[in-house]
Amino acid sequence: MTEPTVLYEARGAVALVTLNRPQSLNSFTRAMHQELWAALDRIEADKAIRACVITGAGRGFCAGADLAEFDFAPGPDLVKRADPGPIIEQAFNPTTRRLQSLRVPTVAAVNGVAAGAGASIAMACDLAIAAPGASFIQAFIKLGLVPDAGGTWFLVKKLGVARAMGAAMLGDKISAQQAKDWGMIWDVAPAGKDCVEAALELAQRLAVLPTQGLLATRKLVRAAASHDLDAQLNLERDTQSALGRTHDYIEGVQAFLEKRAPVFKGE
């Protein structure tokens, strides 16, 4: 039997999703996108799951698209056959959208190189922790292309225009520590500690927090860049009002007043 290209494991309230094509640095095929979506479907369906970690098998996180899936054979319609647009529209864009809208917070454990759309996948997660030796490469320009899977959007939001432009136009390797310093990722795992274990620990922290509050925070933080202050104030008001009707809000306040640890249900 062919080994799955995406592995799924439930560790308590945390789902560990592993991209599993180590021989190809976990570069994406169309089938691999489908398997990732199936794993995300499991998370959506299992209410016991309260956070998700995504990592890569072997020495890399993800090298983007598997170029072997593109048809560059000489002959008629070469330009049409080699067009990257369809796989972006049919595979990478849906993957980015699904990660951004997943019903639980997501943590990328960047265990090695994240190149091309692999870097976009890492940035699409809510938080990212990288191994000290990991790196991020906007490899697109070396192929005459542009960052995709949300790459240009994430780079500007996380790095600012000047650094986003340099990263995208030069395609230089960005180290894990530099990625942290620039705001591309949340943290670098301590030396000697496996980044997947560090990411799982972070996900376990998220898994016992109020899930609805976390998702609302995600939405508000993303919206802030496109809102003026007045619009953001209104959105915060409406969001607080909606969260005020959740179990976890009532539990959090009661626990505070009773001087005990809250027990959140993610509801």
Side-chain angles (χ1 to χ4, degrees):
M1 293 180 63
T2 304
E3 189 170 3
T5 62
V6 174
L7 306 178
Y8 180 94
E9 180 185 354
R11 296 198 179 185
V14 175
L16 176 60
V17 177
T18 304
L19 308 180
N20 188 42
R21 297 186 70 231
Q23 73 283 2
S24 303
L25 290 177
N26 302 312
S27 56
F28 268 93
T29 62
R30 287 180 180 269
M32 187 172 167
H33 282 282
Q34 297 282 349
E35 290 191 33
L36 176 57
W37 300 343
L40 298 181
D41 285 342
R42 292 181 67 174
I43 294 170
E44 294 286 356
D46 187 352
K47 301 307 179 184
I49 297 297
R50 302 266 297 277
C52 169
V53 170
I54 298 178
T55 192
R59 61 188 179 89
F61 176 73
C62 177
D66 187 341
L67 296 179
E69 288 223 316
F70 291 77
D71 186 355
F72 280 89
D77 298 325
L78 171 59
V79 171
K80 182 178 180 180
R81 288 184 281 109
D83 180 5
I87 195 167
I88 293 170
E89 174 62 21
Q90 297 163 14
F92 281 99
N93 284 356
T95 290
T96 297
R97 290 185 175 113
R98 290 214 56 182
L99 288 173
Q100 288 270 285
S101 63
L102 197 65
R103 67 160 193 86
V104 299
T106 54
V107 180
V110 185
N111 55 301
V113 65
S120 301
I121 297 298
M123 290 189 290
C125 294
D126 297 318
L127 298 171
I129 294 181
S135 60
F136 300 80
I137 308 172
Q138 297 300 317
F140 303 94
I141 196 63
K142 298 174 183 178
L143 302 176
L145 296 174
V146 299
D148 59 25
T152 56
W153 193 88
F154 293 123
L155 285 171
V156 172
K157 299 293 184 185
K158 292 175 179 289
L159 306 187
V161 172
R163 284 174 171 159
M165 196 74 76
M169 294 186 74
L170 299 175
D172 291 342
K173 182 183 293 186
I174 299 171
S175 69
Q177 187 59 50
Q178 192 173 29
K180 177 183 177 180
D181 294 342
W182 284 6
M184 181 182 286
I185 63 174
W186 169 247
D187 206 357
V188 178
K193 184 166 189 174
D194 181 73
C195 80
V196 176
E197 290 305 314
L200 285 167
E201 289 177 7
L202 182 58
Q204 291 287 359
R205 288 178 59 190
L206 294 169
V208 297
L209 292 173
T211 307
Q212 297 307 311
L214 292 172
L215 300 184
T217 299
R218 171 204 283 172
K219 180 179 178 180
L220 283 167
V221 169
R222 290 179 188 158
S226 58
H227 284 170
D228 60 24
L229 176 58
D230 193 55
Q232 194 73 2
L233 288 170
N234 290 338
L235 184 57
E236 288 173 351
R237 175 203 63 210
D238 295 343
T239 303
Q240 293 288 52
S241 183
L243 290 173
R245 296 188 288 274
T246 64
H247 165 276
D248 287 347
Y249 164 68
I250 302 299
E251 167 63 9
V253 173
Q254 288 179 337
F256 176 81
L257 295 174
E258 295 167 9
K259 296 181 172 57
R260 60 174 174 82
V263 180
F264 296 119
K265 295 182 177 180
E267 300 172 352

